[in-house]
Amino acid sequence: MSARPRPGSAALPGQRGGAAAAIAAIAAIAAMQREEKQLELTLETLISQVADLKNSLVSFIYKLENEYDRLTWPSVLDSFALLSGQLNTLNKVLKHEKTPLLRNQVIIPLVLSPDRDEEIMRQTEGRVPVFSHEVVPDHLRTKPDPEVEEQEKQLITDAARISPDAAQKQIQSLNKMCSNLLEKISKEERESESGGLRQNKQTFNPADTNALVAAVAFGKGLSNRRPPGSGASVQSGQPGAGAIIAGAAGMQQVPMTGAPAQQQPMLAGVQMAPAGQPGKMPSGIKTNIKSASMHPYQR
């Protein structure tokens, strides 16, 4: 008869190994379940963040295409600030310590069909109608295009050939160029701001301008006195008549070179040139002088 282990007695080595393996398997399953749950939560967060980013892009593009006539620069800056904040939030989610490495996850298509799939249409908002052999390589690609991959390899090879000293010199040269460019941009901004301030600076006196316009248009502030030597009397209610007579009294013909200097008759203090002589005043001016001397308001 084989002896059975009594309760409380020590377990055999084989039994101890089996229990340890079972515990390890249970722990592995629990860890996988935790990873799967964490992956699901991360994917839900990423989907929500990407949806918000997409809605912001759609709204901004709609403004650019349909509201460009009344779109202001502060509104554009607000849209860019919103997009930048959403991108930063998405990067923080991806770099969080609790976020699993998505590059270690493998996506395998279980069913490929050339028929129209309504569920895929709903999830992709009508962009992918079918999930077939034609679209799977593009939508499930985890590596860049072969041309891009070759260019990346070439850049890595070229970078490996450069010595550390040469790389440091190139870095310093690039930093110097960037600093000079930033300094020029800052200088242009300061000059543009100072130029705008100079243009907006007031270069006239509004009170003097208003007084000048009132004097020209309405005769406000002009003298109403008669010129000396004028026999014509002007009514006090006509401010412009005295100015006209004063101008007429102050006019005097200047004799032309070579013309005989003769005493000519005077009309209201203005010397009149005889008819038929060179240098005579135009008839229009003589008419104005006569009208000034024969003012209709003269007594």
Side-chain angles (χ1 to χ4, degrees):
M1 294 179 62
S2 59
R4 296 180 180 179
R6 291 178 298 176
S9 61
L12 297 176
Q15 293 175 347
R16 290 198 301 268
I23 293 174
I26 293 173
I29 294 173
M32 292 178 60
Q33 290 179 351
R34 286 195 302 269
E35 291 180 358
E36 290 179 358
K37 186 176 181 180
Q38 186 66 32
L39 179 61
E40 291 178 358
L41 294 176
T42 301
L43 290 177
E44 290 178 359
T45 304
L46 291 177
I47 290 172
S48 176
Q49 296 292 336
V50 172
D52 294 340
L53 181 61
K54 186 198 70 172
N55 293 333
S56 300
L57 285 172
V58 170
S59 176
F60 184 50
I61 293 173
Y62 178 82
K63 289 181 180 179
L64 292 178
E65 293 179 350
N66 300 280
E67 301 178 1
Y68 58 90
D69 53 345
R70 57 180 181 274
L71 193 64
T72 59
W73 181 242
S75 177
V76 175
L77 292 180
D78 291 341
S79 299
F80 273 115
L82 178 61
L83 293 174
S84 177
Q86 290 175 344
L87 287 174
N88 290 332
T89 304
L90 185 61
N91 288 330
K92 289 180 180 179
V93 172
L94 292 174
K95 295 178 180 179
H96 198 269
E97 57 182 5
K98 294 184 178 180
T99 301
L101 293 177
L102 299 179
R103 68 181 63 183
N104 296 335
Q105 306 296 326
V106 180
I107 300 177
I108 301 176
L110 301 179
V111 178
L112 298 177
S113 174
D115 299 332
R116 183 184 181 91
D117 193 335
E118 297 297 334
E119 182 64 20
I120 293 180
M121 282 281 293
R122 184 185 64 80
Q123 292 182 358
T124 60
E125 298 181 354
R127 290 188 297 269
V128 182
V130 296
F131 200 66
S132 61
H133 297 78
E134 183 179 0
V135 300
V136 164
D138 294 331
H139 292 283
L140 298 184
R141 181 188 298 274
T142 58
K143 297 177 64 177
D145 293 337
E147 295 82 4
V148 177
E149 197 171 9
E150 289 295 330
Q151 293 179 2
E152 186 177 358
K153 289 181 180 179
Q154 184 65 31
L155 291 175
I156 293 174
T157 304
D158 295 342
R161 294 175 182 174
I162 301 176
S163 62
D165 296 338
Q168 189 65 26
K169 290 181 180 179
Q170 291 183 2
I171 292 173
Q172 293 177 357
S173 176
L174 180 60
N175 291 335
K176 185 177 180 180
M177 292 175 60
C178 293
S179 300
N180 294 335
L181 182 60
L182 290 174
E183 185 177 356
K184 289 182 179 180
I185 293 174
S186 301
K187 184 178 178 181
E188 291 291 336
E189 290 180 351
R190 290 194 298 269
E191 290 180 354
S192 63
E193 291 178 357
S194 60
L197 293 176
R198 285 196 299 268
Q199 291 179 359
N200 295 331
K201 185 178 180 180
Q202 192 173 9
T203 58
F204 65 94
N205 189 350
D208 294 344
T209 303
N210 295 332
L212 181 60
V213 172
V216 173
F218 308 105
K220 183 179 180 180
L222 297 180
S223 175
N224 200 19
R225 295 177 299 176
R226 289 183 300 172
S230 176
S233 60
V234 184
Q235 296 181 2
S236 60
Q238 301 293 331
I244 295 175
I245 296 175
M251 294 177 61
Q252 183 175 1
Q253 182 185 6
V254 179
M256 300 293 292
T257 305
Q262 299 178 1
Q263 184 71 22
Q264 302 297 337
M266 302 291 289
L267 178 60
V270 180
Q271 184 178 4
M272 304 299 296
Q277 292 186 3
K280 66 179 180 179
M281 297 179 65
S283 60
I285 299 179
K286 291 190 293 185
T287 304
N288 293 336
I289 295 172
K290 289 180 180 181
S291 63
S293 61
M294 300 177 182
H295 200 273
Y297 293 99
Q298 184 178 0
R299 294 180 182 176

